[in-house]
Amino acid sequence: MTSDMVLVPAGEVTLPGDLVVPAPAGAVVLFAHGSGSSRHSPRNRMVVAELRTAGLGTLLMDLFGEREERHDALTAEYRFDIALLGRPLGPA
């Protein structure tokens, strides 16, 4: 099972994600993350591994663009900004 890095257009930013679809997958779970860690976090990777064990595909993605991620790493200003985090997922 391989992971494909995908880029998801989301308004003004393009967000990175890791897509894994085991055969046969009955569904794909979007695991969108943005509060203080990233899709590279061991905890997030453990969660998606368990979902794949259950036969589900996963798209593990961050909700910050590169600029926002760098700013948040320095200030922690964005990690609990629900409006900002929810923006890529669709209209409010």
Side-chain angles (χ1 to χ4, degrees):
M1 182 173 359
T2 62
S3 174
D4 293 314
M5 203 281 223
V6 297
L7 297 174
V8 179
E12 297 175 12
V13 298
T14 299
L15 303 173
D18 298 320
L19 177 66
V20 178
V21 182
V28 175
V29 174
L30 170 61
F31 188 107
H33 197 275
S35 63
S37 67
S38 74
R39 71 185 195 284
H40 302 294
S41 152
R43 181 182 62 214
N44 295 338
R45 295 229 171 253
M46 181 185 73
V47 170
V48 296
E50 288 297 317
L51 291 168
R52 288 192 301 268
T53 299
L56 298 167
T58 58
L59 173 55
L60 176 58
M61 60 183 287
D62 295 324
L63 293 176
F64 290 152
E66 286 183 36
R67 187 183 81 232
E68 295 159 330
E69 187 174 336
R70 283 191 308 269
H71 181 80
D72 189 69
L74 295 172
T75 67
E77 178 181 346
Y78 296 150
R79 64 189 61 189
F80 297 109
D81 184 333
I82 303 305
L84 176 67
L85 292 170
R87 186 186 66 215
L89 301 176

